[in-house]
Amino acid sequence: CVKAGVPKQQATALQQALQSLIQEAAVLGLKEDESTGLEALIVLNYDHGNLSEVQQYSFRAAEQGRTASPATTMYMLAHTGCCLAEIGRDTIRAESLLLEAQSISDRLGIPVIDIPFGLGCVRRFQGHIDEARSLLRQGWHMAQMAQDHWRECLCLTNLVMLELETGNPTTALNDGNELIHVSAQMGGGSEAPRAAALDAVTRYMLQEKNAADSLARSLQVLRQIDSPRMLAYIQTIAAQWDLAQGNLQQAVARAEDARSAAQLIDNPSAIALAGSAIVQAKYQSGNL
């Protein structure tokens, strides 16, 4: 249910059910099932933007995974490292967990999607663009082969964001089309609205006709589904584009909206990027 996409109104009940099942599995000594439950809890909180809970459950999952079989340990270390890397929290530990999972994967001869995907997120965070792009594409192709639509969406989302950040909106548009196709196969989660928002801001950068109206509609949808993390990202990218076009007043308005959204989820990178856009716009307008 979690990986298929769960509407926000159902998330609380599902989280409570998962917590009960995890406790029951622990009492019965079912390590594998306990680990699977923790993975689902991480995914559920990730999908609904609860980054502190993602971090908390990820640490717990990493420790729990070490008491299970080598294969389960590998999967849990990879998933934990991947989640921490994707949300930009404790990337040093994320990289360490992913490399540990990689060594077990090499020993067992079992490939794991979360390892290249997670390391791709780490490299993106570190600014190693070519390596990040290569790893993210590797993760996406593995997810395609496994027909794991949830992970396909994650890999493609990060690829689109990487291309937008590095000034390649045409490439971002191609990857974004793939993302829209895959997200349409998901259930009631937030993947499709996020994909639409990334597509809208890409077309805004490409200066397509009516792109500004599409972007405004997508931003409204992100507010309705309560997706502050993606809202902050989209508004920051759009603000940076406005800044480059000399539309300073709009750049400030977008960046201030982005900063407010980023502060809601305590996302340091997003807060810093939004603040940077505000400073640049104020400086260019002579408001020292």
Side-chain angles (χ1 to χ4, degrees):
C1 285
V2 169
K3 288 185 179 178
V6 180
K8 200 168 188 71
Q9 60 268 28
Q10 296 177 17
T12 301
L14 190 55
Q15 177 152 320
Q16 291 171 350
L18 278 167
Q19 288 169 337
S20 296
L21 288 164
I22 290 166
Q23 289 176 354
E24 188 177 349
V27 169
L28 295 171
L30 302 173
K31 300 294 186 183
E32 315 284 322
D33 296 299
E34 190 178 354
S35 295
T36 302
L38 280 168
E39 180 186 355
L41 208 51
I42 292 166
V43 172
L44 182 65
N45 279 281
Y46 169 83
D47 193 43
H48 292 283
N50 304 321
L51 302 192
S52 295
E53 285 82 355
V54 171
Q55 187 175 22
Q56 170 195 332
Y57 288 125
S58 292
F59 290 150
R60 180 177 163 190
E63 296 308 313
Q64 176 60 37
R66 294 182 193 282
T67 66
S69 67
T72 299
T73 298
M74 172 189 66
Y75 283 119
M76 293 311 296
L77 292 176
H79 188 65
T80 300
C82 177
C83 287
L84 290 173
E86 211 282 336
I87 65 173
R89 297 277 184 99
D90 205 345
T91 53
I92 294 174
R93 183 169 184 183
E95 183 176 19
S96 174
L97 291 169
L98 287 162
L99 292 175
E100 185 178 354
Q102 179 71 72
S103 74
I104 301 173
S105 172
D106 293 342
R107 190 168 72 246
L108 298 179
I110 302 174
V112 183
I113 300 166
D114 285 342
I115 294 174
F117 169 51
L119 288 172
C121 292
V122 170
R123 300 298 175 245
R124 176 182 163 223
F125 185 88
Q126 294 170 337
H128 302 313
I129 304 304
D130 291 339
E131 189 178 358
R133 186 181 287 116
S134 174
L135 286 163
L136 289 170
R137 290 202 177 279
Q138 182 185 343
W140 170 38
H141 293 316
M142 289 172 68
Q144 277 185 306
M145 292 289 291
Q147 296 187 322
D148 187 332
H149 298 321
W150 184 74
R151 283 180 169 83
E152 272 194 86
C153 283
L154 287 177
C155 291
L156 282 166
T157 295
N158 276 270
L159 276 168
V160 172
M161 293 164 88
L162 179 69
E163 299 301 348
L164 290 175
E165 289 160 6
T166 52
N168 300 309
T170 302
T171 305
L173 190 65
N174 293 332
D175 290 334
N177 287 335
E178 289 282 354
L179 176 58
I180 288 171
H181 173 71
V182 176
S183 66
Q185 301 175 58
M186 303 289 286
S190 56
E191 286 80 12
R194 290 173 183 167
L198 285 167
D199 180 71
V201 78
T202 302
R203 294 180 187 279
Y204 182 68
M205 293 174 69
L206 290 168
Q207 298 181 294
E208 291 191 6
K209 186 178 179 181
N210 300 323
D213 292 338
S214 296
L215 177 57
R217 287 193 295 271
S218 283
L219 291 169
Q220 187 57 37
V221 172
L222 291 178
R223 292 186 181 94
Q224 289 171 354
I225 67 170
D226 192 17
S227 183
R229 186 174 176 222
M230 184 56 75
L231 177 64
Y233 182 84
I234 297 293
Q235 282 288 60
T236 298
I237 288 291
Q240 290 170 345
W241 176 253
D242 290 336
L243 192 61
Q245 302 305 303
N247 194 343
L248 304 181
Q249 187 174 355
Q250 183 163 276
V252 170
R254 288 192 191 280
E256 287 179 341
D257 187 32
R259 184 170 62 181
S260 296
Q263 286 171 337
L264 281 175
I265 53 171
D266 189 25
N267 189 326
S269 292
I271 293 169
L273 287 168
S276 172
I278 293 169
V279 170
Q280 291 178 72
K282 296 282 190 183
Y283 176 76
Q284 287 186 29
S285 63
N287 188 351
L288 301 185

